[in-house]
Each structure stands twice: as C-alpha cells, then as structure tokens.
Amino acid sequence: MSSCILLFYICVISAQSADSLYRDRAHLPSARQAAELWQAELERNPRAFDAAWKLARADYWLGGHAPEKERRAFFESGIEAGRKAVALEPNRPEGHFWIAANMGALAESFGLRAGIKYRKPIREELETVLHLEPTFQQRSADRALGRWYYKVPRLFGGNYKLAEEHLRASLKANPHSTVSHFFLAELFIEEGRKDEARAELLKVIDSPLDPEWAPEDLEYKSKARSLLVRVKPAS
C-alpha cells in the first residue's frame, strides 16, 4: 500500500513539473524536459490519458521549433501519442485534435507526399472534435479546418469560402485570437482583399496576449509585422 501511495505522489509531482516546464516552452530545453516527463509517465502507466495528449501537444511545439533534422520525428511521435490518447478516451477531443495538428504540420512542411497521405485523416479528426466538443480550446478545430480548406488544393476539397466560415466561427470563441486573424489575413491576401488583410494583421498586432498561449501569440505578432510591410493598401 505504501509503495502505491508513493507512486501516486511521484506521478502528481511529475505532472505538475511537466505542466510548469511546458508553460516555459519558449525556452526549448523546458519543452524537451516536459515531453520527456510525459513520455516517462506514459511508460510507467500506459493508461495515463493526460500524459498521452500532453505529450502530443509538446511534440507539436517541438516539431515546429527544434532543429530541422529533428522536426519530422517529433511530429510523428506526436501523432503516435495522440493515437494513444484516442485509444484511451475516444470521446474526448484532446487526442483527436493533436493528431490532426501534428499531421497538419507534417503535411505543410514535408512535401506533396505527406500532404496527400494526411489530407483526409486531418479533416476527419477535426470534424470529430467539432462533433464531440465544438468549443474545445477556443474552437481550435474550426481554426484548423479553416486552415485545411485554405491550404488544400480545390481539386482535393479546398474551398476559400469554407475556410473563411470556419475561421470566423473560431473567432466567436476568442475574438482576439492571433492565429485566426493571421490565417484570415493570409486567405484575404490570396483572394486579393488587401485592405481586409491589413485590417486582420493589425488585429493580430493589437490583440492582448492570452496567458495560456503567450508564446504562440508572440510568434504570430512577429509574423504579422513582417507581413504587414509587404501588404500595401489597395489604391
């Protein structure tokens, strides 16, 4: 009995430490340590749902920020961790969402073959999230589906109208979402709607930081400033 109690407290402390480290993810070694702790917890307890989806989330961050030669492995590890979360709790949105996020990053970053391989599963996972919990994580599934409909060629299901609809739906949950406004700006640039694109970029720059997503907000603010200087007002 005493050994079980000790193991319980070790797991609680590890989870708290991993969460604290992940909040410091802008410092890459902290994100790595968080991922290692969740991986270790999952190895100790293969039924640790929170460790599984949080590992998938950490792998997504690491895949976008680690040295280039490591990135694909992190995204693939994130997909695997997300699948473990889904196997444990198929009716929870976390695993489905982070599977889709890691697949989407692979599809955007590693060429046509990855795009073709993951195109359909990404949409299926995101639609599952919308079915299970539409407001999950500030309507992140709508945001990601908006990106999907924007990035996928029209021949394979891409649709700018649906992209805009999903991105605007995500803003109902968080009108200050830097990611949603930035994705809308890119869509409007593609459509030649330059004044609207500039307005969206200014919203990114002016939006307050979300304490939970501050590292992401700061990155999108930087991207918006860089893009704004290249988007001249329509004459």
Side-chain angles (χ1 to χ4, degrees):
M1 177 65 74
S2 61
S3 62
C4 292
I5 293 172
L6 178 60
L7 180 59
F8 170 77
Y9 280 111
I10 289 172
C11 290
V12 169
I13 293 169
S14 295
Q16 291 174 339
S17 299
D19 287 336
S20 297
L21 286 163
Y22 187 72
R23 282 193 290 272
D24 186 41
R25 59 191 173 278
H27 181 54
L28 197 62
S30 295
R32 289 184 187 272
Q33 290 174 42
E36 289 167 3
L37 285 171
W38 283 317
Q39 180 65 55
E41 183 181 349
L42 200 53
E43 289 171 0
R44 284 194 304 269
N45 176 15
R47 299 198 61 78
F49 169 74
D50 282 347
W53 76 258
K54 288 179 179 182
L55 175 59
R57 181 185 62 180
D59 281 337
Y60 175 77
W61 175 267
L62 289 164
H65 297 83
E68 188 67 35
K69 64 182 180 181
E70 300 179 53
R71 293 187 174 193
R72 185 173 198 132
F74 276 123
F75 291 137
E76 290 172 346
S77 172
I79 294 169
E80 181 183 356
R83 285 173 173 159
K84 288 178 181 177
V86 167
L88 292 167
E89 296 283 357
N91 293 322
R92 292 276 298 271
E94 293 92 338
H96 295 286
F97 179 79
W98 291 108
I99 289 171
N102 280 283
M103 285 182 173
L106 276 173
E108 284 201 34
S109 303
F110 291 95
L112 180 62
R113 181 173 295 182
I116 292 172
K117 178 180 179 180
Y118 292 117
R119 172 178 51 85
K120 184 177 178 182
I122 292 167
R123 187 173 69 176
E124 289 174 346
E125 294 292 353
L126 293 173
E127 288 174 344
T128 298
V129 175
L130 285 181
H131 174 73
L132 292 172
E133 190 178 326
T135 59
F136 169 71
Q137 207 171 259
Q138 302 178 349
R139 299 194 76 99
S140 285
D142 270 312
R143 184 178 305 114
L145 271 171
R147 187 67 169 176
W148 188 94
Y149 280 110
Y150 167 64
K151 295 294 288 187
V152 170
R154 186 175 295 273
L155 180 64
F156 297 108
N159 185 308
Y160 285 177
K161 182 175 183 293
L162 289 176
E164 183 173 350
E165 288 178 5
H166 279 288
L167 289 170
R168 291 197 183 281
S170 72
L171 287 168
K172 293 177 182 177
N174 178 10
H176 301 297
S177 169
T178 57
V179 187
S180 294
H181 286 300
F182 187 84
F183 286 172
L184 273 173
E186 289 192 319
L187 171 64
F188 292 157
I189 290 168
E190 191 67 24
E191 292 184 312
R193 298 159 63 181
K194 291 186 178 180
D195 286 345
E196 290 174 88
R198 285 180 61 84
E200 293 299 324
L201 292 171
L202 290 171
K203 289 176 184 177
V204 177
I205 294 167
D206 293 339
S207 289
L209 293 180
D210 183 329
E212 186 177 355
W213 300 101
E216 289 82 359
D217 283 345
L218 289 169
E219 289 188 354
Y220 277 96
K221 285 175 179 290
S222 177
K223 290 179 181 180
R225 291 187 187 97
S226 296
L227 188 56
L228 186 62
V229 300
R230 304 203 304 269
V231 182
K232 301 187 182 301
S235 55

